[in-house]
Structures are given as structure tokens and as C-alpha cells.
Amino acid sequence: MDRYTFIENFNNQRWPFKTYLCYEVERLDGDTAIPLDEYKRFVRSKGPDQPQGPHHAEFYFLEQIRSRNLDQNQHYRLTCFISWSPCYSCAHNLTTFLKENPHISLHIFASRLYTRNRFGSYQRGLRELQAAGAQITIMTFQDFEYCWETFVDHRGNPFQPWEGLEAKSQELCEELQAILRTQQN
Ligand SMILES: [Zn+2]
């Protein structure tokens, strides 16, 4: 991904229309996580003008992961860095995927919380996803920096945080924790 696309879409104070999702896959062997570098990729949401579209980024992510047929006798960890947290519908699809694939665990780092209930209660979607074993957290400076170094064509430039990154991250983190702590739907 180029530098401008990353900053434009992952800046936690902006409201871009698209969603970008960077992911990597590791094979877990006891306490050791073995990165599978060939799986490091990113996908984005697509509009109705696309042959397969419109779909949210998670749709393409699940499609790519499913097509890999990860060995059921091994254990894998998927890590996603996503510019908007999953909507209800995508959280539901991810939940179903985790239930169908007990050999796969999922950790989602979200830059921003998607807080519209257009597709169902986003809060409930996130809680269901957590209940299915997924870890959901908000991206911190270290996560943005990791993402920059791993998925961005940075041409040797270090990650430059934008104004207010940490404060916004902290605020979203508290908001997410409150959602995940709530029992009722
Ligand atoms: Zn969605």
C-alpha cells in the first residue's frame, strides 16, 4: 500500500468512506508463532462499480483466507489491522467463520470504531465476535508503526504520527472496552 493511502485511511481522526484491512497469518507451534510471509496482504472495501462488489473489506479477507484451506491439523492466528471496526454483518460473518474453524484464532486491531447500526447493532456484533474467541483492540502508536513498517511502501521513511493520535486511540479504546463489557444487547 502506498504511504498516502495508509495515512488517508488509517488516520484515526478522519472519516474516509472506504475500509482497508491488512492481514497476516502465523502458524502456532506451542508457544512459537511462525509468520507465513506469503500471506501478508491487504484488501479494501469495494463499491457497486466492481465486478464482485459492493462488499466490505472483511468479505474479501474471508474469501482469501477460505481459499487457502489452512490445514485443519495445525493452529493458525490471523491478525488484522483494519481502518474501520467491523459492522454488525461483517462481525457476524467473522463469528461464523471462527465457529466453523476452531483451528484458527483471530486478533483484530481497529483504527476507528464503526458506530453505525445500518447493518444491525454494531455493539452486539463486536460482543458476539469476542464471545467466539476473537480479540478486538484499538490500534495504538505501536500498531500504526508496525503496520507502516509491514504493509506500507514507506521507502525508508519512518512512521510519522499525526497530531492527537494517542489521545484519540485512548478515547476509542475506552469506548470499545465499555461496549465489550456490556452484557445486554
Ligand atoms: Zn461490514
Side-chain angles (χ1 to χ4, degrees), residues 79-98:
T79 305
C80 290
F81 299 91
I82 186 165
S83 58
W84 284 110
S85 63
C87 69
Y88 176 76
S89 174
C90 291
H92 180 73
N93 292 339
L94 290 166
T95 299
T96 305
F97 172 79
L98 288 179

Side-chain angles (χ1 to χ4, degrees), residues 137-148:
T137 46
I138 293 293
M139 288 175 77
T140 61
F141 171 82
Q142 283 78 14
D143 304 321
F144 288 113
E145 187 176 48
Y146 176 80
C147 219
W148 174 269

Side-chain angles (χ1 to χ4, degrees), residues 91-138:
H92 180 73
N93 292 339
L94 290 166
T95 299
T96 305
F97 172 79
L98 288 179
K99 287 179 178 168
E100 288 169 358
N101 293 279
H103 65 306
I104 294 177
S105 55
L106 175 66
H107 193 160
I108 292 177
F109 293 86
S111 171
R112 296 173 301 259
L113 282 177
Y114 179 82
T115 55
R116 297 207 184 138
N117 281 322
R118 195 175 146 206
F119 303 95
S121 162
Y122 76 91
Q123 297 98 325
R124 197 174 83 201
L126 294 175
R127 285 195 285 269
E128 284 175 2
L129 189 51
Q130 177 180 247
Q135 274 183 276
I136 311 166
T137 46
I138 293 293

